[in-house]
């Protein structure tokens, strides 16, 4: 049948090839070259894997040297206790001198400290400046003038007390006049 016959690469007409059949001579060369390329790729990959494994071993050895130096330090921190006076005492009973300064934690203590360089300095006297014009108001002067023009409230009962004092004085004057007469 014409459908069963195929044209091979050599130009001959033959049966359709099954995958379990023996390869033709031209196919054998192609397979051999593919096998050789696969072997080369496998050897290359194996060489890279061996190089990576060697690098991992050297890094692990270097890390072991580094952690070996740290293992010389004590594994746990020393125990510290307070004595009856509130001092720090180590495991052997020796007093530990603390280098920490007490820091204020309450907000009022934090604001109590002030930087003298940041404190407000009194304003300079502008009247001593040679360019000072007395016709122009000085800052703060208008505030004083407004205070003078503001309402001046009288304290409660001040007029009553003054009236009582005047009545008492008038009563004393009346008694003195009667005594003379």
């Amino acid at each position: 049948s014409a459908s069963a016959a195929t044209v091979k690469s050599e130009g001959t007409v033959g049966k359709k090839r099954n995958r379990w059949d023996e390869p033709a001579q031209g196919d054998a060369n192609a397979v051999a070259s593919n096998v050789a390329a696969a072997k080369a790729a496998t050897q290359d990959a194996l060489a890279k894997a061996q190089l990576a494994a060697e690098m991992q071993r050297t890094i692990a050895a270097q890390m072991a040297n580094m952690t070996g130096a740290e293992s010389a330090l004590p594994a746990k921190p020393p125990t510290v206790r307070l004595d009856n006076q509130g001092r720090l005492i180590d495991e052997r009973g020796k007093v530990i001198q603390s280098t920490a300064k007490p820091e204020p934690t309450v907000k009022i203590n934090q604001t109590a400290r002030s930087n003298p360089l940041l404190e407000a300095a009194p304003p300079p006297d502008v009247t001593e400046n040679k360019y000072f014009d007395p016709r122009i108001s000085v800052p703060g002067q208008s505030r004083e003038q407004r205070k003078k023009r503001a309402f001046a409230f009288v304290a409660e009962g001040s007029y009553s007390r003054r009236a009582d004092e005047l009545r008492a004085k008038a009563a004393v004057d009346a008694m003195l006049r009667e005594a003379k007469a």
Side-chain angles (χ1 to χ4, degrees):
S1 83
S3 64
T6 59
V7 177
K8 291 187 180 177
S9 61
E10 290 127 320
T12 61
V13 178
K15 272 178 41 176
K16 189 172 182 184
R17 197 175 136 247
N18 192 336
R19 65 177 156 176
W20 291 282
D21 291 341
E22 287 294 320
Q25 185 64 347
D27 290 340
N29 289 338
V31 170
S33 66
N34 286 342
V35 170
K39 280 185 181 180
T42 305
Q43 288 175 352
D44 186 38
L46 183 62
K48 287 181 181 179
Q50 288 173 346
L51 180 63
E54 181 62 32
M55 290 177 77
Q56 286 180 347
R57 280 194 292 276
T58 57
I59 290 171
Q62 290 175 354
M63 293 297 288
N65 289 341
M66 291 174 66
T67 57
E70 290 175 0
S71 65
L73 297 174
K76 63 175 186 154
T79 57
V80 179
R81 289 176 276 152
L82 294 174
D83 65 353
N84 57 359
Q85 296 177 358
R87 299 177 295 184
L88 294 173
I89 296 180
D90 64 357
E91 297 170 332
R92 294 179 232 131
K94 292 185 179 179
V95 176
I96 299 173
Q97 294 297 326
S98 177
T99 58
K101 295 179 186 176
E103 286 292 320
T105 55
V106 180
K107 191 71 172 174
I108 190 73
N109 293 338
Q110 290 175 356
T111 57
R113 296 182 304 182
S114 63
N115 189 345
L117 299 175
L118 298 177
E119 290 178 359
D125 187 20
V126 292
T127 58
E128 296 175 5
N129 191 338
K130 66 179 183 178
Y131 301 107
F132 174 71
D133 187 0
R135 296 173 293 179
I136 299 175
S137 65
V138 178
Q141 194 175 36
S142 60
R143 186 178 311 127
E144 296 298 325
Q145 290 174 352
R146 269 182 291 180
K147 283 183 183 177
K148 289 178 185 174
R149 282 183 283 161
F151 288 117
F153 292 102
V154 180
E156 184 178 349
S158 61
Y159 289 119
S160 302
R161 278 191 300 274
R162 187 162 181 211
D164 291 339
E165 289 171 3
L166 287 175
R167 283 189 211 106
K169 186 176 179 185
V172 169
D173 287 341
M175 281 199 227
L176 288 176
R177 267 186 271 130
E178 284 180 14
K180 284 186 183 179

